[in-house]
Amino acid sequence: MKNIFVFQTKIGIVAIEDNGTEITDVNVISENHSIEVNETSLLKNAALQLNEYLEGKRNSFDLPLNPNGTEFQKKVWAALCDIPYGETRSYKQIAEYIGNPKACRAVGMANNKNPIMIFIPCHRVVGSDGSLTGYAGGLDMKEKLLSLEKGKAI
């Protein structure tokens, strides 16, 4: 059974879902989105940690995560979690890190399918030239998250 907690943040209305023991999804949703809410202590803790992060008071998360995806996607998402706060990596660097240097595009697709945004920091992946590339929350949000990690308030 999935539980969901919806709350307002600095980046919009966020919905966090769990399966009873692990976080499975994080999404920014529209205001008129109708969702049946079932809060758990895990979801409330995740919301607290997310808000602390967005306030610049937290630079890592202590949450059980269980993203649904292929083995390759999970390998990429695990690599994203190894990118230190305030740093970025290119798609090529992630491909090399997971031992598949020619998989830049596949890394990009896995990044795009990340179901647990922010907690799995796909916003820290940029183009080889340092340019901001696609982000599920939009490039504006990606820029805000990266700026936050550089010490600027959002």
Side-chain angles (χ1 to χ4, degrees):
M1 177 180 154
K2 286 215 172 195
N3 303 300
I4 190 164
F5 185 50
V6 179
F7 61 106
Q8 181 67 48
T9 71
K10 288 183 160 197
I11 59 170
I13 299 171
V14 172
I16 302 178
E17 295 181 46
D18 76 22
N19 62 11
T21 57
E22 303 151 316
I23 302 298
T24 59
D25 294 275
V26 174
N27 295 290
V28 176
I29 61 173
S30 63
E31 287 186 50
N32 60 1
H33 202 83
S34 178
I35 292 178
E36 186 174 330
V37 175
N38 183 21
E39 300 172 9
T40 65
S41 59
L42 174 58
L43 291 174
K44 288 180 183 179
N45 182 27
L48 173 70
Q49 289 189 36
L50 180 60
N51 276 326
E52 288 173 347
Y53 167 82
L54 295 172
E55 294 290 333
K57 298 174 182 170
R58 172 181 288 274
N59 60 18
S60 64
F61 301 103
D62 180 25
L63 297 164
L65 305 177
N66 187 7
N68 183 30
T70 67
E71 286 307 309
F72 178 81
Q73 288 170 329
K74 290 178 180 183
K75 195 173 188 180
V76 170
W77 299 332
L80 300 182
C81 290
D82 290 341
I83 304 171
Y85 180 89
E87 295 184 21
T88 59
R89 299 289 185 273
S90 69
Y91 296 97
K92 181 178 181 174
Q93 288 173 310
I94 296 298
E96 291 168 348
Y97 185 81
I98 64 170
N100 198 342
K102 295 186 181 204
C104 299
R105 287 187 181 194
V107 165
M109 290 305 298
N111 209 44
N112 178 270
K113 300 290 185 194
N114 173 15
I116 308 178
M117 66 187 307
I118 303 175
F119 296 136
I120 297 176
C122 54
H123 60 277
R124 295 181 187 152
V125 182
V126 297
S128 292
D129 61 0
S131 63
L132 298 187
T133 55
Y135 184 64
L139 290 181
D140 183 54
M141 184 186 306
K142 183 173 188 165
E143 186 173 23
K144 285 179 182 178
L145 295 173
L146 292 173
S147 291
L148 170 72
E149 293 188 10
K150 298 287 186 202
K152 299 175 183 146
I154 59 173

